[in-house]
């Protein structure tokens, strides 16, 4: 789970640099709860008309981004949601289960 969390944050930040047109701010929030780790990354970039910050020019031939992050979360029993924000920008939110340590 640790590696999945790290790689999701890394991929979101990399995607923000590549695709978030006009973004001048990005926030990362990680919250540990009893049963899960919540990761939320938002940017304030311009959201293209076609509904995804990942549809800019760098998207052509550019890896698996969101699909890879969703798969990474799923493999550890978690989930990931990504969507444009109503006021512009983009948000990626993941929930990953936390194993109890005995």
């Amino acid at each position: 789970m640790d590696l999945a969390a790290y790689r999701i944050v890394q991929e979101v930040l990399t995607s923000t640099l590549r695709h978030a047109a006009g973004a001048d701010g990005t926030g990362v929030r990680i919250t540990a709860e009893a049963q899960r780790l919540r990761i939320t990354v938002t940017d304030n970039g311009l959201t293209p008309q076609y509904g995804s910050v990942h549809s800019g020019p760098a998207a052509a031939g550019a890896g698996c981004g969101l699909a890879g992050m969703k798969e990474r979360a799923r493999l550890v029993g978690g989930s990931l949601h990504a969507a444009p924000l109503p006021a512009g920008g983009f948000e990626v939110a993941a929930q990953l289960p936390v194993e109890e340590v005995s």
Side-chain angles (χ1 to χ4, degrees):
M1 188 277 301
D2 296 346
L3 181 59
Y6 174 83
R7 295 291 301 186
I8 288 169
V9 171
Q10 182 183 42
E11 179 65 29
V12 175
L13 293 176
T14 299
S15 294
T16 298
L17 286 171
R18 289 184 182 163
H19 304 292
D24 62 0
T26 300
V28 177
R29 182 181 179 108
I30 300 174
T31 307
E33 299 175 356
Q35 300 294 320
R36 71 182 142 238
L37 183 72
R38 291 180 187 263
I39 301 167
T40 306
V41 182
T42 58
D43 69 59
N44 64 352
L46 303 175
T47 304
Q49 288 181 333
Y50 301 105
S52 173
V53 77
H54 299 278
S55 61
C64 298
L66 289 174
M69 287 185 280
K70 286 180 181 181
E71 179 67 8
R72 196 174 293 277
R74 187 191 67 75
L75 285 172
V76 298
S79 63
L80 185 134
H81 175 75
L85 295 169
F90 203 79
E91 177 179 82
V92 176
Q95 292 188 44
L96 306 176
V98 174
E99 294 180 14
E100 288 187 29
V101 178
S102 51

